[in-house]
Structure formats: structure tokens, C-alpha cells
Amino acid sequence: MAKRNRIDIIEDILTSIKNKGRIRPTHVMYKSNLSHRQMKSYLEELLEKNFIRKVEGKSNNNYLTITETGIKFLEKIREMKEFEEAFGL
Amino acid sequence: MLKIVYSPSWFYPADLIIDIFSMLILALIAFLSFKYYKIRKGNKNYFWLSLSFSLLAVSFLFKLLTNFTIYRHVENTTTIGFVTITIHSFASSNLISSIGFLGFRFLMLLGLFILYRIYQKSSSPYDTLVIVYLIAIITYFSREEYFVFHLTSLIFLSFITSIYYKNYKKSGNTNSQLLFYSFTLISVSQLAFMMIESYLFFYIVGEIVQLAGYLVLLITLVRIIKHGKKK
């Protein structure tokens, strides 16, 4: 299996959040197959870019949801990967 | 003397429309490649792809501006006694035509060479300089021998098409298949353009095949863009 690059990891994170609707950060870590340190750094970046946001659930648990900007970026990544495959880049 | 092959007058507006359409498709690919280059900062291939398609789009702009200048009719109406005479003449300038056609041919060949080079690992930067020099020479001499330009384009396009065929066979992806078809059609159009000095009819064939090629390219792009929104 080929090594994932930064964009692949961001795609995995955004996809897992989008598929679940809202998800706990630890579940993102398992679903995206990342270490705690890696996940923290990626989530900080995605929050900063407004691709995801934190929402508070029952018993003060933090959840993550994807924003419209995040959905648009995810679409761009998928479009780009399809383009890459078509042109053999 | 610069040789310029004119489109038959009845086909005149159609060939301009086909070239505008082709230019827009090329510009769209250049724009998309640049957009993806900004996302995938480390991938230089996107930069080169964007540059090659930009050059191809600009080459069509040169062709369009030149053709537009050549085809522009100037009507001079003179009345002598009871008779009114309307004279149609070509408002063409040899200088504009020369610069326009040389620009079109040079940028087209350079764009195709860069596109080809993306898929071939460069052995030395000197090789690139030699090829660019040869492209300049070919462009200059194609003023006299029109088919030399289309033959060179055909050679580059054949190499690129074979790369896209291998990519399609490897990936089995429908978009790769469409890309291969579109480049095959664009290559065939060059074959038709090579023969226009013998039969002007081939100009129309070439333009129509070129249109079909760019239409398939447009379908490919629409499918790629739709894919992002599908999941």
C-alpha cells in the first residue's frame, strides 16, 4: 500500500467526519489511522482553516462537524485526484 | 514569402468558433491544473501541465487574432456616375500575419513539448535547450513548408497519445480512456491539416476532427468535476 501524503490524510479525516455527521476526535484518530500527535496537528490546521468546527454534545463531550468550506475542499480534493488519475500525473 | 492557407469563405465563421472553443477548453485545463498545483504544492507536474496548456491556449489566441485580421473584409463603396461599385478586399498585413502565425506555431510546439516532457524523465537541461532551439528552427522553416509544422505537432501528439493509452491500460479509468480518445482525434486533425496544401477540403476535415477531439476533452473535464461532487 502506498504511503499517504498530507492531502490523503486530510481527505481521510474530512471524509470520516462527513460520513458520521459529527464525531469525537478520538474516533477520527482511529478512523484516519493517525497517532495522537499527528491528529492534533491536523485537527488544529483544519479548525484554523474553518474546514471543521467543534460542537459540544451531551455530558460536555466535544464533537467535530464538517463545515461548508470543508465540504467544498473535500470535493476539490476528489476532483483533483480524478484529474490526476486521468492525466496520469 | 509567407504561406497562409485560407479557410473556404463559406466555412469562415465556423473555423473561428471551433478555434475559440478549443482555446477555452485548453484554458480551462490550464486553470484547473493551476488550482490543483496550489493544493498539491509539492507536485511540480501540475505547474508544468498548467504551463503547457496555457501556452497551447495562447497559441490559439495568436491563431484567432491572425485569422481575424486576415479575414476581416473592408468594404469600399465608390459611386461613378450612375454606377455604385462595392469592393471587398482583405485587410491583411503581412507583418501581423507573420508574427501571428509564427507565434501560433512556436507556442503550440513548445506547449506540446512541455506536455510530453512531463511524462519523460529529463536526462539533461541541455537536451531541453536543444529541443527548444529545434522548435524555433522548425517554426521558422514552416513558413515555407506549411506541413512541417503539422508533422512536428503530429509527432509530439502521437507520443503524448501513446502515454495516455498506456495510462488508460494501467488504470482502466473511463476518464483516462476519454483523454486518450480526445488526443487521438486531435492527432488525426493534424494529419488532415498536413494535406491542406493538396486539397483545401482537408482544412474542413481537420477543423471538424479537432472540434470532436476538444468536445471529448470537455466531456472528460465535466466528468472529473462531477466526480468531486458525487460522493
Side-chain angles (χ1 to χ4, degrees):
Chain A
M1 195 176 152
K3 199 182 164 209
R4 289 187 302 169
N5 58 38
R6 192 179 150 272
I7 289 292
D8 295 330
I9 294 170
I10 289 174
E11 186 190 4
D12 287 346
I13 295 173
L14 291 176
T15 304
S16 63
I17 299 174
K18 191 182 172 230
N19 288 347
K20 280 276 171 189
R22 57 175 215 169
I23 189 169
R24 304 256 323 253
T26 40
H27 288 137
V28 173
M29 190 171 79
Y30 302 137
K31 285 197 176 285
S32 311
N33 206 13
L34 295 168
S35 71
H36 185 264
R37 216 178 67 181
Q38 281 175 314
M39 184 204 64
K40 207 174 156 229
S41 140
Y42 276 106
L43 290 187
E44 273 169 12
E45 188 188 337
L46 296 178
L47 283 164
E48 196 186 308
K49 287 181 173 165
N50 195 33
F51 290 160
I52 56 171
R53 70 168 161 259
K54 275 183 184 169
V55 288
E56 210 169 281
K58 286 174 189 170
S59 57
N60 287 343
N61 281 328
N62 272 332
Y63 287 89
L64 296 167
T65 59
I66 191 164
T67 63
E68 267 305 306
T69 324
I71 291 172
K72 291 242 166 71
F73 189 71
L74 186 59
E75 285 174 1
K76 251 191 207 177
I77 293 175
R78 285 170 178 168
E79 187 188 297
M80 180 186 74
K81 286 193 164 182
E82 193 66 19
F83 184 91
E84 218 164 87
E85 204 177 338
F87 279 83
L89 292 176
Chain B
M1 177 66 191
L2 179 71
K3 280 186 187 176
I4 297 164
V5 182
Y6 297 106
S7 159
S9 57
W10 60 269
F11 194 63
Y12 154 56
D15 67 340
L16 283 187
I17 292 164
I18 291 169
D19 286 343
I20 289 171
F21 176 76
S22 309
M23 184 186 71
L24 291 176
I25 302 297
L26 291 165
L28 179 63
I29 298 176
F31 168 76
L32 287 175
S33 311
F34 193 71
K35 190 173 89 170
Y36 303 145
Y37 170 66
K38 284 201 284 181
I39 298 174
R40 269 223 206 278
K41 281 160 196 149
N43 195 335
K44 285 267 166 61
N45 284 346
Y46 275 116
F47 172 77
W48 292 113
L49 195 75
S50 175
L51 181 68
S52 71
F53 278 94
S54 300
L55 289 172
L56 294 172
V58 175
S59 79
F60 268 96
L61 188 67
F62 267 84
K63 187 186 174 190
L64 278 162
L65 292 174
T66 314
N67 278 348
F68 193 74
T69 312
I70 292 165
Y71 296 158
R72 188 160 54 97
H73 285 78
V74 174
E75 284 192 1
N76 292 322
T77 306
T78 318
T79 306
I80 306 164
F82 297 106
V83 185
T84 301
I85 306 163
T86 303
I87 304 159
H88 294 268
S89 62
F90 283 116
S92 66
S93 149
N94 264 342
L95 184 69
I96 293 173
S97 307
S98 302
I99 293 169
F101 272 103
L102 289 180
F104 160 62
R105 290 171 191 175
F106 181 72
L107 294 176
M108 171 73 85
L109 294 178
L110 191 62
L112 289 175
F113 169 62
I114 292 172
L115 184 58
Y116 165 71
R117 206 55 192 253
I118 291 170
Y119 301 98
Q120 302 300 318
K121 297 293 165 220
S122 170
S123 51
S124 149
Y126 296 112
D127 291 350
T128 307
L129 286 175
V130 169
I131 301 284
V132 172
Y133 168 74
L134 289 175
I135 286 173
I137 295 287
I138 288 164
T139 304
Y140 181 79
F141 284 105
S142 70
R143 296 188 318 159
E144 296 294 331
E145 296 300 332
Y146 188 74
F147 80 96
V148 171
F149 160 69
H150 289 293
L151 177 66
T152 315
S153 301
L154 178 66
I155 291 168
F156 278 134
L157 279 162
S158 306
F159 289 154
I160 296 163
T161 306
S162 79
I163 290 164
Y164 288 150
Y165 176 72
K166 280 177 198 159
N167 182 47
Y168 156 57
K169 281 286 159 197
K170 196 175 144 193
S171 71
N173 180 307
T174 312
N175 291 331
S176 311
Q177 188 181 16
L178 288 171
L179 190 71
F180 159 65
Y181 289 155
S182 73
F183 270 80
T184 304
L185 286 166
I186 296 166
S187 304
V188 172
S189 76
Q190 297 301 313
L191 204 62
F193 287 136
M194 273 171 65
M195 293 184 272
I196 53 180
E197 275 182 305
S198 312
Y199 302 100
L200 207 57
F201 165 74
F202 281 109
Y203 181 83
I204 299 155
V205 174
E207 286 282 325
I208 290 168
V209 176
Q210 180 191 307
L211 175 66
Y214 282 101
L215 266 172
V216 178
L217 204 49
L218 177 64
I219 294 166
T220 314
L221 292 178
V222 170
R223 282 176 54 92
I224 287 171
I225 293 166
K226 269 191 170 174
H227 177 86
K229 295 183 170 61
K230 210 163 59 182
K231 287 178 188 170

